[in-house]
């Protein structure tokens, strides 16, 4: 059985470029319900923890610096098949490879500054939703 939630972040570049509204509009039009949402700035330590799976990768330090460079928007999204459908909506990690009409194709500046995050599995979604929110933040919304 697949879970129906996923975690997104609108990354600092897209926030700085004033794309929050346009990106949320895309997300809602694609049928996702925003059941919890907030704006915050990640500390370096928090960004390191969020991306711990990439700690050994060459791009890790740049990724952490970028993700802690300014405010982000984090949100829990609900929809049937949320993880897969959201990955499809955002497109490939590198905007040059992303399909037309995807969020990254239209809003990413580069592979590193690629506008949005989307969980890559139900297990990641579970961990990432709890990184930013408590279950009580969104369970009542679903009733
Ligand atoms: O975000 P996504 O799941 O598509 O990609 P990832 O492989 O999990 O990498 C996480 C993030 O690291 C990406 O979204 C990029 O912002 C960044 N990244 C990078 O800067 N350079 C790479 N070669 C790969 C990833
Ligand atoms: Mg990933």
């Amino acid at each position: 059985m697949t879970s129906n939630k996923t975690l997104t972040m609108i990354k600092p570049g897209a926030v700085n470029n004033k794309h929050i509204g346009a990106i949320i509009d895309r997300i809602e039009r694609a049928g996702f319900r925003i059941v919890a949402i907030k704006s915050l700035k990640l500390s370096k330590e928090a960004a390191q923890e969020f991306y711990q799976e990439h700690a050994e990768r060459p791009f890790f330090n740049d990724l952490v610096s970028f993700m802690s460079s300014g405010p982000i928007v984090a949100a829990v999204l609900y929809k049937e098949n949320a993880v897969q459908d959201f990955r499809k909506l955002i497109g490939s990690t590198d905007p040059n490879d992303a399909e037309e009409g995807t969020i990254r194709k239209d809003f990413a500046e580069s592979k590193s500054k690629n506008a949005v995050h989307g969980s890559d599995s139900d297990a990641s979604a579970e961990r990432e939703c709890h990184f930013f929110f408590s279950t009580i933040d969104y369970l009542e919304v679903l009733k």
Side-chain angles (χ1 to χ4, degrees):
M1 201 186 91
T2 62
S3 146
N4 295 327
K5 69 175 186 291
T6 192
L7 185 280
T8 190
M9 293 184 284
I10 302 176
K11 298 186 179 186
V15 171
N16 192 45
N17 291 329
K18 298 189 164 54
H19 292 318
I20 295 174
I23 290 172
I24 288 177
D25 187 52
R26 295 280 188 99
I27 293 171
E28 287 193 311
R29 281 171 190 273
F32 292 87
R33 283 176 62 198
I34 295 163
V35 297
I37 188 163
K38 64 182 168 190
S39 170
L40 71 150
K41 188 167 179 288
L42 288 171
S43 66
K44 218 166 175 154
E45 293 71 27
Q48 282 169 342
E49 190 187 332
F50 185 88
Y51 281 111
Q52 61 193 225
E53 66 174 306
H54 295 311
E56 306 305 324
R57 308 285 292 279
F59 59 83
F60 184 67
N61 287 342
D62 287 345
L63 174 62
V64 166
S65 294
F66 171 58
M67 289 305 296
S68 56
S69 68
I72 63 159
V73 172
V76 177
L77 308 177
Y78 264 72
K79 183 184 183 297
E80 213 172 281
N81 204 32
V83 166
Q84 270 185 292
D85 286 2
F86 193 67
R87 294 291 301 202
K88 197 155 187 232
L89 180 68
I90 66 178
S92 301
T93 308
D94 186 337
N96 293 316
D97 302 330
E99 278 183 48
E100 292 298 326
T102 59
I103 291 175
R104 281 171 166 169
K105 184 77 182 180
D106 293 340
F107 297 103
E109 297 160 81
S110 64
K111 186 173 185 177
S112 51
K113 299 181 177 179
N114 60 2
V116 285
H117 169 82
S119 307
D120 65 4
S121 67
D122 287 338
S124 297
E126 197 63 34
R127 181 183 79 80
E128 293 172 2
C129 288
H130 284 107
F131 186 90
F132 289 106
F133 301 97
S134 160
T135 308
I136 57 166
D137 291 334
Y138 52 86
L139 268 195
E140 283 296 314
V141 180
L142 296 174
K143 286 185 178 167

